Amino acid sequence: MIIYFSGTGNSKYCAERLGELLEDRVVDSGRYIRERKKGKFCSTKPYVFCAPIYASYIPLIFERFLKSSEFEGSKEFYFVITLAGNSERGGSILPDTLPDLCRDLGKEYMHTAHITMPCNFVTYMNIPSGDEVGKTIEEAEKKLPECAEIIKAHGKFKEWTVKKSEYYAVKPFLRFYYKLLMKDKKFFADESCVGCGACERVCPMKNITIENGRPVWHGHCTQCTACINRCPKEAIQFGKKTKDRERYYIEKYLK
Ligand SMILES: Cc1cc2nc3c(=O)[nH]c(=O)nc-3n(C[C@H](O)[C@H](O)[C@H](O)COP(=O)(O)O)c2cc1C
Ligand code: SF4
Ligand code: SF4
C-alpha cells in the first residue's frame, strides 16, 4: 500500500506512479489529516510512504499521522521522499529518525529513496518554471521504476551517508524551525480573488475558510503551499515577495 502526503502534487505523482508499477493501492493521508482522523490500514504488500521534505524531514503533520495510525499485515516500511535539492543532504535527519519511528510502530525500516522534484517553496524563494520543471520530472520518472523493483524484491533502498554534523545542525532545532516557518499570518488574497473556494478545498489542514467571499487563514498552517500555488487566479500572496513569482503545482506541467 502506498500512502502519501502532498501539497503541490510531486509526492502524489510519485505515489501514483509507484502504485501503477507495483499494482498496489494508493491512499491520500490528507483525507485523514483534514478530518483529524487516525488511519487503520491492512496490507499484505509492503507499506510505501511518499512525502515531501520540509526542513530536512518529513512534514511533522505526516509523522504525527503515521505515529497515530495502525498498520496491519506487512512489516516492511519504505519511504520515498521528494525534495528540491539533488542530494541526500536535503533530508539530513531522516536516516537517524525514521528507523526509530519504524521500531516504535513494530515495523522494519527498509530505508529511504529520495527523488528530486521541482521546488514548490514559493513563500520563501523563487521557484523553477518551464523546461527546467519538465527536465526535473523526466529525471524523476527514471528513478521510480528502480524504486519499484527494489520494493517488489523486498530489498532495501541504499543507505544514506549524512554527516553527523548535518544531523545535529537540524535535529535539535526542528521544532523551532517549524514555529518559525509554518506561519500563515503573511497570507492574504489580493483583488483578483473571485471567492471560488479552491484554496479552502485544497488545504490539508482545514486551515482556510471563505468568509464574505474571501479566504481567511486560521493559524494551523503547515506551509504545504497548496493554497498559494493552486489558486486559479494567483490571487494569494505571502507578504510582499510573491506578487511576481511563478506558481507551481505538478498538474500544470503534466501532459
Ligand atoms: C515548507 C517547505 C519546506 C521545504 N524544505 C525543503 C528542504 O529542506 N529541502 C529540500 O530539498 N526541499 C525542500 N522543500 C521543497 C519540497 O520538498 C519539494 O518541492 C517537494 O517535492 C514538494 O512536494 P509536494 O508537491 O508533494 O508537496 C520544502 C518545501 C516546503 C513547502
Ligand atoms: S482559490 Fe484564489 S480565487 Fe479562489 S477563493 Fe481562494 S484566493 Fe480567492
Ligand atoms: S493554509 Fe495554505 S500553506 Fe497552509 S497548510 Fe493550508 S494550503 Fe497549506
Side-chain angles (χ1 to χ4, degrees), residues 124 174-183 223 238:
Y124 285 89
L174 188 64
R175 272 158 221 282
F176 171 72
Y177 289 150
Y178 258 68
K179 274 209 169 121
L180 214 63
L181 286 178
M182 309 301 168
K183 288 183 178 160
Q223 275 285 333
F238 188 75

Side-chain angles (χ1 to χ4, degrees), residues 87-193:
S87 83
E88 286 112 348
R89 292 178 63 198
S92 60
I93 67 173
L94 296 170
D96 286 290
T97 313
L98 293 181
D100 291 347
L101 175 76
C102 294
R103 196 199 50 233
D104 292 349
L105 290 167
K107 301 293 179 180
E108 188 181 356
Y109 179 54
M110 304 299 279
H111 293 270
T112 302
H114 61 95
I115 312 276
T116 301
M117 290 294 275
C119 186
N120 66 349
F121 205 5
V122 65
T123 42
Y124 285 89
M125 59 187 74
N126 287 323
I127 56 174
S129 60
D131 286 354
E132 201 184 332
V133 169
K135 279 188 199 137
T136 307
I137 297 173
E138 256 177 51
E139 284 306 308
E141 186 59 44
K142 291 181 198 157
K143 275 189 92 174
L144 291 163
E146 293 167 22
C147 293
E149 285 310 311
I150 293 171
I151 298 166
K152 265 188 205 164
H154 301 273
K156 287 190 174 172
F157 291 140
K158 193 164 87 41
E159 264 191 71
W160 289 18
T161 46
V162 177
K163 284 188 195 149
K164 280 285 170 212
S165 55
E166 285 165 11
Y167 171 81
Y168 286 114
V170 179
K171 180 69 168 111
F173 310 109
L174 188 64
R175 272 158 221 282
F176 171 72
Y177 289 150
Y178 258 68
K179 274 209 169 121
L180 214 63
L181 286 178
M182 309 301 168
K183 288 183 178 160
D184 61 13
K185 282 206 170 65
K186 287 192 190 171
F187 280 122
F188 66 94
D190 67 23
E191 60 292 343
S192 45
C193 171

Side-chain angles (χ1 to χ4, degrees), residues 219-244:
H220 310 292
C221 180
T222 195
Q223 275 285 333
C224 74
T225 72
C227 57
I228 183 166
N229 275 309
R230 290 183 179 277
C231 167
K233 297 289 172 192
E234 300 193 358
I236 299 181
Q237 308 301 337
F238 188 75
K240 292 182 186 151
K241 295 198 173 151
T242 53
K243 183 90 192 131
D244 300 316

Side-chain angles (χ1 to χ4, degrees), residues 5-12 51-57 82-86 90-91 115 117-121 123 181-182 222-225 248:
F5 177 84
S6 185
T8 53
N10 290 348
S11 311
K12 176 175 187 255
I53 279 290
Y54 290 175
S56 304
Y57 191 50
T82 69
L83 73 176
N86 57 10
I115 312 276
M117 290 294 275
C119 186
N120 66 349
F121 205 5
T123 42
L181 286 178
M182 309 301 168
T222 195
Q223 275 285 333
C224 74
T225 72
Y248 173 80

